[in-house]
Each structure stands twice: as structure tokens, then as C-alpha cells.
Amino acid sequence: MLDLVVGLDVAKGESQRQAFVDKGHPYGKSFQFRHTIEGLEEFLSLLKEIEDLTDRRPVVVLEVTGHYHAPVVHYLEEHQYVIILITPLISHQGKKSNLRKVKTDAVDAYQHCILYYKEELEPYKRRSMKWLNLRNLTR
């Protein structure tokens, strides 16, 4: 059974993506898309292409980046994709295992996919308004 994952490196206004159809098997090349309706639809078409190829929905893994990831997460939630948010600390720990210290958006997206296969990551759950208000009160 294939273990589908798409890794995103989210930045201000754009993201870099890399897809894997199974551990050690990247699907296509990494590409960049903007956080506009057109860019997100282009990203969605890639997800649909992977679904058509494998008859399964991929999981999307991305790093929490302040508020830059919010439009991507919202868009993916609307289309009912499983999302895994990783903290910068977990992402950094995953990169430490790499011998070469290369920092590019494409490499980061690739590493998010590798991290998915190595770690037991929990899917993102939308928080209730009460929980968000409580969190804001305690800060």
C-alpha cells in the first residue's frame, strides 16, 4: 500500500511543495505556488492528480510559520485533506540527521516528507473558539 504525502515549505505569500508516492519515491519535481486563489487551485490540481494516480488522498505536512500557513491550512480544510502541522523545533531536529547543511525551500519541503515517514505525527485538529479564547487569555 502506498503512503502518500506532500511536504510544504510555507513562506510569506508562497509555498514550495514536494510530493512522495511512497517512502523514498518522490513524485515529480518540487514547485512553488503563491497563496492566491489561482496558486492554491494549481496546488489542488496536483493533489487531485496524485489521487487519480493512486486512488488515495495524500496527507499534507507543513511547518507552523506564524500566520503564513493559515490560508493554505484553511484551503486544505475546505477540501477535506488531512493536514499535519509540525513545529519548527521538530522540523529542525529532523534536519539535523542530514549530513549536508543545505537550506533551501525545496530541500525543506523534501525533508518534511522524510520526517513524515520517520516520526509518528498527529493530524491537525481545528480548535474550538472556547479553546482559542482560553489560550489567548493565558498568554
Side-chain angles (χ1 to χ4, degrees):
M1 179 174 306
L2 297 175
D3 209 0
L4 309 170
V5 64
V6 175
L8 293 181
D9 183 57
V10 181
K12 182 179 179 181
E14 60 190 22
S15 292
Q16 187 80 25
R17 75 97 189 133
Q18 175 65 60
F20 274 63
V21 291
D22 205 3
K23 185 177 182 178
H25 299 284
Y27 177 76
K29 293 183 178 182
S30 177
F31 81 84
Q32 199 168 26
F33 65 92
R34 300 209 38 84
H35 296 171
T36 61
I37 296 295
E38 295 82 19
L40 290 169
E41 286 174 353
E42 180 183 2
F43 176 58
L44 183 64
S45 70
L46 167 85
L47 296 176
K48 298 277 185 199
E49 181 182 317
I50 293 170
E51 281 180 55
D52 292 342
L53 178 71
T54 61
D55 292 328
R56 294 188 48 229
R57 284 194 142 197
V59 173
V60 180
V61 179
L62 59 134
E63 186 176 336
V64 177
T65 55
H67 61 279
Y68 297 144
H69 68 282
V72 178
V73 169
H74 181 69
Y75 189 80
L76 291 171
E77 279 183 318
E78 284 180 355
H79 291 88
Q80 292 142 9
Y81 280 89
V82 174
I83 305 162
I84 296 176
L85 296 177
I86 57 175
T87 65
L89 181 62
I90 292 171
S91 176
H92 181 70
Q93 292 295 329
K95 292 174 197 166
K96 277 186 177 179
S97 65
N98 232 357
L99 293 177
R100 293 191 176 142
K101 304 299 180 206
V102 179
K103 170 66 177 119
T104 67
D105 294 342
V107 169
D108 287 349
Y110 186 94
Q111 287 300 322
H112 293 338
C113 292
I114 298 299
L115 191 63
Y116 171 78
Y117 295 116
K118 287 183 180 178
E119 302 290 331
E120 292 287 325
L121 303 172
E122 293 288 321
Y124 167 74
K125 296 177 188 105
R126 181 182 275 265
R127 305 294 183 198
S128 70
M129 191 53 74
K130 284 182 183 180
W131 189 89
L132 292 173
N133 287 338
L134 182 61
R135 185 178 79 175
N136 287 333
L137 282 170
T138 59
R139 287 190 171 182

